[in-house]
Each structure stands twice: as C-alpha cells, then as structure tokens.
C-alpha cells in the first residue's frame, strides 16, 4: 500500500533520514519504534508531504507521490494525527472534529455519519461535544485528535506518539481503540516509544535510530529480542 524506497531527508546539511526503506501492506498495523530524535516524526512528515525527500521514492497505492502537497496526500487517503495533538483548545470538541471532515467535498449527511462513527468509537466525546477541547483530560484530547483524523476517512492513518503523557491505564484503553480502528479496516502506521504497549497490538515493527532503520520484523520476534527489551522495554 505504502512504500518508502531509499528515502533520504535533509534539513540543511543535517541528514535526518538516511535511505529509509519501509513498506506497509493494506490492512496492517505497523509500528515505528524509536527514542526521541530518532526520526519518527520526520518519516511521518515526509509521507504526509510536509517534508520533501532529497532522494528516494514514496509510492502509495501504486502511485508515485513524492512532492505531493499535504492536502493532496489527505485526498489520496493518508491522514496524520500529529505528535502533541495540535487541537484548537478554545473551540468545542465537535468543532475540532468537524475540522477533519472538510478535506473532501462531502455533503452534510456524510459528515454527520462520520461524526456519529467517531462518537461510537469515543462515546465520552459525544457527552463532551459542546465543551472546549482544551478543557478535556489528556486522554480525551488524544481521542479528539484521532477522531479528527478519522473524520477525513483515511485509508491509512498515521498516529504520532498517541500514548505520550498518558497514564498506563489510559494508554491501554487508547491502544485497544487503535487496534479496533485497524480491525474495522483502516491501515495504521504508529510511531511510539512505548514498545511494550505498541508491540502488543502491531503486527510488524521497524526500529528507527539516528534516521535509519536498524531492525525490523514481526512484533513477537522483536518483543523477544534482547537488545530491544533492554533499549525499549526495560526488562
Ligand atoms: P522523533 O519523532 O523520532 O522524536 P524527529 O523526526 O522529530 O524525531 O527528529 C529527528 C531529527 O531531525 C532530530 O535530530 C531533530 O532535531 C531533527 N529535525 C526534525 N525536524 C527538523 C526541522 N524541521 N529542521 C531541522 N531539524 C529537524
Ligand atoms: Mg516525534
């Protein structure tokens, strides 16, 4: 579905990504694991068209999409849920969600259907739909961010560190919802430092260090890999 081939990204003289190779099949849930500064968000920003690769190729559904603008990528079916949520804190929950729905030309009925689907996934957001997004708890704000991305009806959703700053119990609920999103037919690319939680729901993983893929494989293999346990699981 998505394929990055030898993709290199530079910020001035600094090479943030060095010949990255990543592929995601339709229907998969794949995680990019890596510490702060490894290059996970840069990979997402490159796929979503915010960064232009210096070299290499990105294809989506068989089409070369290098250099496409971010709004074009959303129309192609890739939506990013950015690190740090980036909500409009003074706007209501529902207004924030609706922001995600305006990328396609759709009529009111279709937007309402999408909104109801998001509320089915996150019932608490329906209860709080008139509240200012900024007044919600961290976990609920993350739900708004994911819900807003889903409003664009992505084929592939990229979730950038959705567990950051959340209590362990909330992380567990969040990850089970992410799995549910995947099982209902949306391909998921997840960026995480929480290897323990992420490897439990992902089918495959790539380990990113200093802008390179240093390891890849099935989640259960990586979960049992000593180096990974030491570096990312702490056991
Ligand atoms: P991660 O998401 O894995 O924490 P990032 O992709 O945010 O890592 O960052 C990877 C590296 O690229 C870091 O060294 C970061 O400082 C650098 N970087 C990211 N974005 C930019 C930018 N716009 N300009 C310059 N350097 C950047
Ligand atoms: Mg990041």
């Amino acid at each position: 579905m998505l394929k990055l081939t030898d993709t290199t990204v530079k910020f001035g003289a600094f090479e943030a990504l060095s010949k990255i190779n990543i592929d995601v099949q339709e229907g998969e849930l794949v995680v990019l694991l890596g510490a702060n500064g490894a290059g996970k968000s840069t990979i997402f920003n490159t796929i979503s068209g915010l960064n232009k690769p210096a070299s290499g190729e990105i294809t989506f559904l068989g089409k070369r999409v290098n250099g496409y603008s971010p709004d074009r990528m959303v129309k192609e079916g890739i939506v990013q849920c950015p690190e740090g949520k980036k909500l409009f804190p003074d706007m209501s929950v529902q207004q924030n969600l609706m922001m995600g729905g305006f990328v396609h030309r759709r009529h009111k009925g279709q937007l309402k259907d999408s909104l109801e689907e998001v509320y089915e996934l996150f019932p608490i957001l329906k209860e709080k739909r008139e509240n200012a997004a900024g007044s919600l708890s961290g976990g609920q704000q993350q739900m708004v961010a994911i819900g807003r991305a889903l409003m664009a009806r992505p084929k592939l959703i990229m979730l950038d560190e959705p567990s950051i700053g959340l209590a362990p119990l909330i992380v567990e609920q969040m990850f089970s919802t992410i799995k549910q999103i995947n099982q209902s037919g949306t391909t998921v690319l997840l960026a995480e430092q929480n290897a323990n939680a992420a490897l439990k729901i992902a089918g495959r993983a790539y380990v990113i260090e200093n802008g390179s893929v240093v390891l890849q494989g099935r989640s259960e293999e990586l979960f049992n890999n000593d180096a990974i346990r030491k570096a990312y699981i702490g056991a």
Side-chain angles (χ1 to χ4, degrees), residues 6-186:
D6 291 335
T7 302
T8 294
V9 172
K10 293 182 181 173
F11 297 116
F14 173 62
E15 194 168 285
L17 299 181
S18 313
K19 292 198 165 193
I20 289 267
N21 288 286
I22 287 172
D23 67 273
V24 179
Q25 310 293 316
E26 196 157 357
E28 276 196 305
L29 197 171
V30 175
V31 60
L32 308 181
L33 293 176
N36 253 335
K40 306 178 296 299
S41 297
T42 303
I43 294 174
F44 278 11
N45 289 338
T46 305
I47 295 167
S48 64
L50 290 162
N51 297 331
K52 307 282 171 245
S55 60
E57 190 177 64
I58 305 173
T59 58
F60 183 61
L61 296 170
K63 196 155 70 172
R64 191 176 195 273
V65 295
N66 287 47
Y68 275 27
S69 65
D71 61 307
R72 177 81 192 272
M73 286 311 293
V74 173
K75 290 190 181 105
E76 295 289 331
I78 299 186
V79 175
Q80 179 174 14
C81 181
E83 189 177 340
K85 306 183 271 282
K86 308 273 195 312
L87 300 181
F88 299 94
D90 298 329
M91 288 168 59
S92 74
V93 165
Q94 183 149 316
Q95 285 169 333
N96 270 275
L97 292 173
M98 292 302 280
M99 286 288 183
F102 294 129
V103 284
H104 307 292
R105 280 170 196 272
R106 293 158 66 203
H107 38 83
K108 262 191 173 159
Q110 292 169 314
L111 282 172
K112 234 179 141 217
D113 289 348
S114 297
L115 195 58
E116 279 312 314
E117 282 173 31
V118 170
Y119 286 150
E120 253 171 61
L121 198 61
F122 301 114
I124 187 74
L125 296 188
K126 187 165 193 176
E127 259 172 61
K128 303 213 167 191
R129 64 187 179 277
E130 303 299 337
N131 295 32
S135 73
L136 271 56
S137 73
Q140 291 163 355
Q141 290 192 29
Q142 188 62 58
M143 293 175 196
V144 177
I146 295 174
R148 180 181 57 187
L150 290 173
M151 286 294 291
R153 303 213 163 226
K155 297 183 177 106
L156 180 126
I157 187 170
M158 297 193 292
L159 304 172
D160 199 348
E161 303 214 35
S163 80
I164 223 164
L166 304 185
L169 188 67
I170 309 293
V171 171
E172 213 171 288
Q173 291 167 1
M174 181 64 70
F175 275 57
S176 108
T177 307
I178 292 169
K179 178 135 197 161
Q180 201 181 327
I181 291 167
N182 178 241
Q183 282 169 340
S184 65
T186 308

Side-chain angles (χ1 to χ4, degrees), residues 156-222:
L156 180 126
I157 187 170
M158 297 193 292
L159 304 172
D160 199 348
E161 303 214 35
S163 80
I164 223 164
L166 304 185
L169 188 67
I170 309 293
V171 171
E172 213 171 288
Q173 291 167 1
M174 181 64 70
F175 275 57
S176 108
T177 307
I178 292 169
K179 178 135 197 161
Q180 201 181 327
I181 291 167
N182 178 241
Q183 282 169 340
S184 65
T186 308
T187 306
V188 177
L189 186 56
L190 180 65
E192 265 299 331
Q193 301 190 40
N194 188 337
N196 203 6
L199 288 174
K200 279 184 194 146
I201 62 164
R204 285 193 304 125
Y206 292 86
V207 180
I208 315 294
E209 280 176 17
N210 295 320
S212 297
V213 175
V214 294
L215 204 61
Q216 64 182 83
R218 310 273 333 150
S219 291
E220 55 274 16
E221 285 164 32
L222 292 182

